[in-house]
Amino acid sequence: MDESRETAWHVMPVREVAAALGTDPECGLSAEEAARRLAEHGQNLLAPPVKVPAWKKFLAQFNDFMIWVLMAAVVISAIEHQLLEAFAITAILLLNGFLGFIQEYRAEQALEALKQMAAPTATVVRDGVEQEVPAAELVPGDVVILEAGDKVPADGRLIEAASLKVDESSLTGESRPVSKHADAECELHCALGDRSTMVYAGTTVAVGRGRFIVTETGQATEMGRIADLLAQQEEEATPLQRELKGVGKRIATLILAIATIVFAVGAWQAYNASGETSLFAALAHEAFRARLTVALLVAISLAVAAIPEGLPAIVTVALSLGVRKMAEHNAIVRKLHAVETLGSTTFICSDKTGTITRNEMAVRRVVVGLDGADILPDWALQPDDLTPDPAGLDLLLEIAASCNDAHFTADGTLVGDPTETALVVAADALAESRRRPRRVAEIPFDSERKRMTTVHVVDGRPVAYVKGGADVVLGLCTHALVRGKRVALDETMRHRILAINTELAASGFRTLAIAFRELDDATVDEPSAVERDLTYVGIVGLVDPPRPEAAEAIATCRRAGIEVAMVTGDHALTARAIAQQVGLSDDGEVLTGVEIERMSDDELYEAVARTRLYARVDPAHKLRIVEALKRHGHIVAMTGDGVNDAPALKRADIGVAMGRVGTDVSREAADMVLADDNFATIVEAVRMGRAVYDNLKKFILFLLSCNVSEVLIIFVTTFFADRPALLPLQILWINLITDGFPALALGVDPASPRVMERPPRDASESVLARKRQAQVLWQGALITVAGLIMYVWADLFMPGHSFERAQTMLFSAMVLAQLVHAFSFRSESRSIFSAYSLKNRWLNVAFAGSLLLQLGVVYLPPLQRVFKTQPLSVSDWLAVIAAAIVPTVLIDITKRLVARSSARSAPTEPVSA
């Protein structure tokens, strides 16, 4: 491909380009040849960043200050001949590192799978058949079809261009779209922006359509030459991850201060026990050094166990798994922060066509001329039965099928926009003549103009065919075709046509007006020069029935406290009819684009508070609607599919692009892409977003409350005992088995059945708001108090018990209490002793597995020697169980009292404990 870079494709005629690349401009490459070239040239991708080897990722798990401190503790233990402790700490460090590596690997795999699902595609012609392939599989010589809104997938020489303009700002810096022409003449050494016969990877089709032969792919493209790796942007930390990082720093500072105090007190106690009058003299005693080492290890272990350094990794894993699960339900989340935001969505602005409706258009009414009687029932296949003006019907259907980009592929498949394919089907079924005049020019459909115009040669003369919204097209008409005669269009006739259109729209039809104009020449310089003095022919009514699941999805939103508005470019009456069918609007009040245009921002701010139906809106109106709703404090999700929808999608809190009919531009601007373009998928994504965020809160609060209990145990006993209540390895072990599998199991907790029966969470609410901090402290303190009471009783009052046995009981009680505590976080309104608590099978497995590991530490002789434990009797275990269950019962009673109090004020069910 290096040689091709020097080839002046932009000055070569199309036939020479095709010959040089060994392709057919009409039929493209064969599938076999495309596969061969893909193997030769590689995928059409920019060079990815250098991958970090797995061993480096594993070592990176130990690149943490607290881990370094613990490694230093291993060295100190070895120097002091405490080899067993040194070995055990090393083993736990390696296990922690391995778990961190696995979590990071799973997160990367989930994100990589997401990138593959969201990868761009391209429409190519191979073996003479149009087909959609991943853009990465394009090869030199492929023939690619472009439509407005598409992102150009590779560099190429244009074969044809119909009013084609391309936004090349990402490549050249030119802010205005550049006109492209397949037959233009370019200078050999002209600048990139002046090569009007070429299109380049990474640019975007602003308007029009075209076909081109791929000349370069991947790193050989102009985008590759300047190393513009926009597609490889690094994932930014989500707001929650940034919040936790800040919280982690504050916690680390506090814990390090506590650990310092613990070490200082332990060192002082060791010094007093030595009986020496100076520190240097005490250092000569092996017993003093041993106790000093233990105090240091306790302080270090406490810090490592208490600081939640693993939280960001677990958050990433939970978010990534949530993203994958959403993708399985056709909601492809492009940005991790969207998962968090979905849980707080309060307002969804949804398009109608294809989202609330099926996007399966079919012509069901045809009106020719002015006679209201021409509003037809569901049509049969005999034109004579349909209208008293068969000649007018033929012309109407000819215009509808010709001013149309839908077409048949080589294998007979009809492809194109659903509305346009419906018009072609109707024309083929109803028209006596199937004439398709040759198209010589066109003015593509634009969401602002709401019409499309094509120029054809009919009987040797150029004629403009126009289709679009009835109110728009009729405004450009000066005449009407009535019974085969062209007559002046007066106000009475205009009023009658609009009344017919209104009647159709009120019945739920999408209407298109059809018109034409004979031209002096086929040149299209400005739309205004062609789209004037039109002759009205008739109206076509199409039906796009609502999706059967739309009504239930809208009802679910209402139960969840989420407002829904339909924002469509269709006629107001059509919007009202569909809205009534899906239960969206009770009063049927509609705000149109024309009315929005006349409103000030303050007036629109007032209007959006009561409006749930918007019709005849363009993308600029969508942007204003989003901004007005955000002024009300709403968290807004907005759908869109066109190029001009990108600003509204970016401005919305959750931009939702269509996966089937959406453009590449809208998908790139969006936070989420609907693979099935279904409104119910948005609602399902909101449900899952709520569940993911709830799970994040669950394990964050669970981990912190457990860590608080460990810190308090060590801190309190440091001042009232001459030996640490828990050994360094025991602290690390508690941290390992409670911060590991139970926390991860909470991260995949099934959604509460009532997750969509409570209002959205406040987006400004911190996951560690003051009430949550208080919750963490009092729950951790309760576990601590129960453990300490049992510890003191076992050490001082149980007959025949040694300190080591009491220490083992406290060690086991802390493990069991924290494992049981995890079940408290499954629901705040339901008791931990209900069957609901056992419905997370992964948490059940984590509990059983962690408990078995603890039993091994207590009863297996090799592990007893490592962890300094003693076997416990049945009575010992009864005391341990009591110490674990009593705080659980008190927490359970408290949370249910709080839930009842909350239920009186609001029908909500927070899921965190």
Side-chain angles (χ1 to χ4, degrees):
M1 291 306 292
D2 289 336
E3 294 180 2
S4 67
R5 280 189 174 182
E6 305 304 323
T7 304
W9 301 112
H10 60 287
V11 299
M12 295 172 60
V14 172
R15 64 179 181 278
E16 291 183 15
V17 174
L21 292 169
T23 189
D24 184 329
E26 295 298 324
C27 297
L29 299 172
S30 66
E32 293 77 11
E33 179 61 17
R36 188 192 69 77
R37 295 189 185 191
L38 183 63
E40 177 186 349
H41 297 292
Q43 288 196 316
N44 177 34
L45 296 171
L46 295 176
V50 179
K51 283 195 172 183
V52 179
W55 64 270
K56 284 190 176 180
K57 290 181 181 178
F58 179 72
L59 291 180
Q61 304 303 316
F62 303 94
N63 187 19
D64 181 86
F65 174 74
M66 294 310 302
I67 300 297
W68 297 344
V69 173
L70 200 56
M71 288 178 177
V74 172
V75 174
I76 294 172
S77 297
I79 292 174
E80 290 297 320
H81 305 293
Q82 299 187 33
L83 300 181
L84 200 56
E85 284 82 355
F87 174 79
I89 294 174
T90 301
I92 290 178
L93 278 176
L94 289 173
L95 184 56
N96 262 321
F98 179 74
L99 286 176
F101 171 76
I102 292 298
Q103 289 171 0
E104 183 177 327
Y105 175 79
R106 291 181 68 182
E108 287 185 357
Q109 291 300 305
L111 292 174
E112 188 60 35
L114 172 62
K115 289 179 182 178
Q116 293 298 322
M117 286 183 283
T121 59
T123 303
V124 302
V125 179
R126 288 181 180 169
D127 294 313
V129 178
E130 285 185 24
Q131 52 190 281
E132 193 173 81
V133 301
E137 296 180 7
L138 291 180
V139 295
D142 262 327
V143 175
V144 179
I145 297 173
L146 293 176
E147 302 285 351
D150 287 351
K151 188 170 184 178
V152 180
D155 290 4
R157 173 64 164 86
L158 285 167
I159 302 171
E160 62 180 65
S163 302
L164 184 65
K165 291 186 177 182
V166 179
D167 179 358
E168 296 183 338
S169 57
S170 60
L171 192 65
T172 66
E174 174 62 48
S175 59
R176 299 183 63 182
V178 179
S179 295
K180 297 291 181 177
H181 307 278
D183 55 357
E185 293 185 3
C186 300
E187 295 182 6
L188 179 61
H189 300 294
C190 63
L192 208 65
D194 295 328
R195 298 177 185 178
S196 58
T197 59
M198 299 288 294
V199 288
Y200 296 102
T203 61
T204 303
V205 179
V207 295
R209 58 184 179 82
R211 290 157 62 98
F212 73 93
I213 299 174
V214 175
T215 55
E216 283 97 11
T217 59
Q219 205 66 20
T221 62
E222 292 295 334
M223 190 66 77
R225 292 181 71 173
I226 62 174
D228 189 351
L229 304 180
L230 293 178
Q232 306 294 332
Q233 290 178 5
E234 294 183 1
E235 290 289 334
E236 293 183 359
T238 71
L240 178 61
Q241 288 171 319
R242 289 194 293 269
E243 178 190 347
L244 290 179
K245 188 175 182 180
V247 170
K249 288 181 178 178
R250 294 195 296 272
I251 292 176
T253 302
L254 177 63
I255 296 302
L256 286 175
I258 293 175
T260 301
I261 295 172
V262 167
F263 172 69
V265 172
W268 179 255
Q269 291 172 341
Y271 175 70
N272 285 338
S274 69
E276 296 291 343
T277 57
S278 71
L279 179 62
F280 292 105
L283 287 170
H285 294 276
E286 183 177 346
F288 171 75
R289 294 199 306 273
R291 293 192 62 171
L292 193 65
T293 300
V294 170
L296 177 62
L297 292 177
V298 168
I300 293 172
S301 302
L302 173 64
V304 172
I307 296 174
E309 69 278 347
L311 269 185
I314 297 178
V315 168
T316 301
V317 170
L319 290 174
S320 301
L321 292 177
V323 163
R324 292 194 67 176
K325 187 175 291 187
M326 289 182 188
E328 293 170 2
H329 288 79
N330 296 313
I332 301 173
V333 178
R334 298 184 65 249
K335 301 169 186 174
L336 278 182
H337 77 81
V339 180
E340 302 170 31
T341 311
L342 278 166
S344 57
T345 300
T346 62
F347 208 108
I348 300 176
C349 294
S350 173
D351 202 349
K352 176 183 72 67
T353 304
T355 309
I356 292 178
T357 62
R358 294 179 179 179
N359 201 21
E360 298 174 356
M361 304 297 293
V363 175
R364 286 294 179 264
R365 298 289 188 272
V366 180
V367 178
V368 181
L370 309 176
D371 192 349
D374 291 344
I375 299 178
L376 307 171
D378 288 358
W379 42 267
L381 298 182
Q382 298 299 322
D384 292 338
D385 298 334
L386 299 176
T387 173
D389 185 8
L393 175 62
D394 263 5
L395 178 59
L396 180 145
L397 294 172
E398 178 183 305
I399 295 173
S402 300
C403 183
N404 193 313
D405 286 331
H407 57 282
F408 290 95
T409 62
D411 62 355
T413 302
L414 181 60
V415 297
D417 177 82
T419 298
E420 296 196 326
T421 57
L423 294 174
V424 172
V425 169
D428 285 349
L430 296 177
E432 290 186 346
S433 169
R434 297 192 179 184
R435 183 178 64 170
R436 298 290 186 272
R438 180 170 61 91
R439 183 189 297 188
V440 294
E442 70 178 75
I443 305 171
F445 175 83
D446 183 271
S447 57
E448 294 181 0
R449 298 180 336 105
K450 297 184 174 66
R451 60 186 178 274
M452 174 183 182
T453 299
T454 54
V455 180
H456 303 260
V457 177
V458 181
D459 299 328
R461 296 193 59 185
V463 180
Y465 287 167
V466 183
K467 77 172 191 295
D471 49 348
V472 174
V473 173
L474 201 60
L476 303 172
C477 292
T478 56
H479 293 75
L481 194 67
V482 180
R483 306 298 179 187
K485 295 182 180 181
R486 184 170 180 268
V487 300
L489 186 63
D490 59 29
E491 287 305 312
T492 301
M493 297 164 64
R494 193 182 301 273
H495 178 76
R496 183 173 183 80
I497 294 169
L498 289 174
I500 292 171
N501 184 69
T502 299
E503 184 177 345
L504 285 170
S507 300
F509 290 94
R510 180 181 183 184
T511 59
L512 288 174
I514 305 296
F516 74 94
R517 180 190 170 208
E518 294 182 355
L519 304 174
D520 295 328
D521 62 69
T523 303
V524 177
D525 294 325
E526 291 293 333
S528 59
V530 177
E531 297 171 336
R532 60 182 177 83
D533 301 329
L534 302 181
T535 299
Y536 163 81
V537 178
I539 293 176
V540 178
L542 303 97
V543 172
D544 181 15
R547 291 180 179 269
E549 63 272 23
E552 176 55 33
I554 290 171
T556 299
C557 284
R558 286 182 170 165
R559 291 194 296 271
I562 302 171
E563 298 288 343
V564 180
M566 181 192 294
V567 185
T568 179
D570 273 354
H571 195 283
L573 293 174
T574 305
R576 183 182 291 126
I578 295 296
Q580 289 173 345
Q581 292 179 53
V582 297
L584 179 60
S585 175
D586 297 327
D587 56 16
E589 181 179 352
V590 183
L591 190 62
T592 66
V594 173
E595 293 170 326
I596 293 174
E597 203 71 46
R598 296 171 183 160
M599 289 180 173
S600 67
D601 289 343
D602 289 338
E603 289 172 332
L604 183 59
Y605 171 81
E606 296 294 333
V608 296
R610 61 179 184 276
T611 304
R612 296 298 175 266
L613 286 179
Y614 299 87
R616 281 291 188 254
V617 298
D618 61 32
H621 300 144
K622 282 188 174 183
L623 181 59
R624 291 189 63 197
I625 291 169
V626 168
E627 290 175 338
L629 287 170
K630 293 187 76 167
R631 281 181 62 193
H632 278 282
H634 283 294
I635 304 300
V636 184
M638 169 67 82
T639 68
D641 55 17
V643 179
N644 294 338
D645 285 330
L649 295 181
K650 282 191 174 182
R651 184 73 181 93
D653 298 283
I654 295 287
V656 183
M658 302 298 106
R660 290 183 176 177
V661 301
T663 60
D664 288 340
V665 175
S666 62
R667 295 188 193 108
E668 288 189 358
D671 303 289
M672 184 170 74
V673 178
L674 301 183
D676 58 358
D677 296 1
N678 193 340
F679 177 80
T681 301
I682 304 176
V683 180
E684 177 65 15
V686 170
R687 186 188 72 82
M688 297 178 72
R690 287 187 175 192
V692 168
Y693 193 84
D694 288 344
N695 289 346
L696 290 173
K697 289 201 299 184
K698 289 176 185 179
F699 71 68
I700 289 168
L701 298 176
F702 165 67
L703 289 183
L704 294 181
S705 59
C706 290
N707 288 0
V708 164
S709 66
E710 296 164 23
V711 170
L712 290 177
I713 284 282
I714 300 301
F715 188 72
V716 171
T717 56
T718 296
F719 289 96
F720 298 103
D722 59 352
R723 288 180 290 182
L726 293 172
L727 296 174
L729 278 180
Q730 294 172 347
I731 297 171
L732 292 175
W733 179 257
I734 295 172
N735 188 61
L736 178 67
I737 66 173
T738 58
D739 283 15
F741 302 117
L744 287 174
L746 283 175
V748 294
D749 204 28
S752 164
R754 305 176 191 173
V755 72
M756 291 299 281
E757 295 179 9
R758 56 181 171 87
R761 69 178 181 85
D762 185 349
S764 63
E765 176 191 358
S766 168
V767 71
L768 285 174
R770 287 189 176 182
K771 65 177 181 179
R772 299 298 180 189
Q773 294 176 19
Q775 172 190 331
V776 164
L777 290 174
W778 76 260
Q779 290 184 356
L782 198 57
I783 294 173
T784 298
V785 169
L788 286 177
I789 291 174
M790 183 216 65
Y791 172 67
V792 172
W793 178 67
D795 189 28
L796 300 179
F797 300 107
M798 288 186 71
H801 273 61
S802 63
F803 169 78
E804 288 76 14
R805 197 162 204 162
Q807 189 177 62
T808 303
M809 290 176 66
L810 177 61
F811 177 32
S812 299
M814 291 297 292
V815 170
L816 184 59
Q818 293 185 14
L819 291 178
V820 173
H821 187 45
F823 289 90
S824 297
F825 287 86
R826 290 229 54 231
S827 170
E828 191 169 59
S829 63
R830 301 181 189 222
S831 171
I832 190 176
F833 301 105
S834 67
Y836 179 77
S837 294
L838 302 177
K839 288 187 177 180
N840 182 339
R841 62 190 181 96
W842 293 114
L843 185 57
N844 298 338
V845 170
F847 175 85
S850 298
L851 188 58
L852 284 175
L853 289 173
Q854 180 63 20
L855 291 174
V857 165
V858 172
Y859 290 108
L860 295 179
L863 294 179
Q864 286 177 345
R865 290 192 291 273
V866 172
F867 289 92
K868 303 291 192 297
T869 58
Q870 296 286 323
L872 301 180
S873 65
V874 173
S875 60
D876 295 338
W877 275 110
L878 290 176
V880 167
I881 292 171
I885 294 298
V886 169
T888 300
V889 172
L890 294 176
I891 291 171
D892 194 62
I893 293 173
T894 303
K895 76 176 183 180
R896 282 191 287 166
L897 290 174
V898 172
R900 288 173 188 168
S901 176
S902 300
R904 296 190 191 101
S905 57
T908 177
E909 191 230 12
V911 287
S912 307

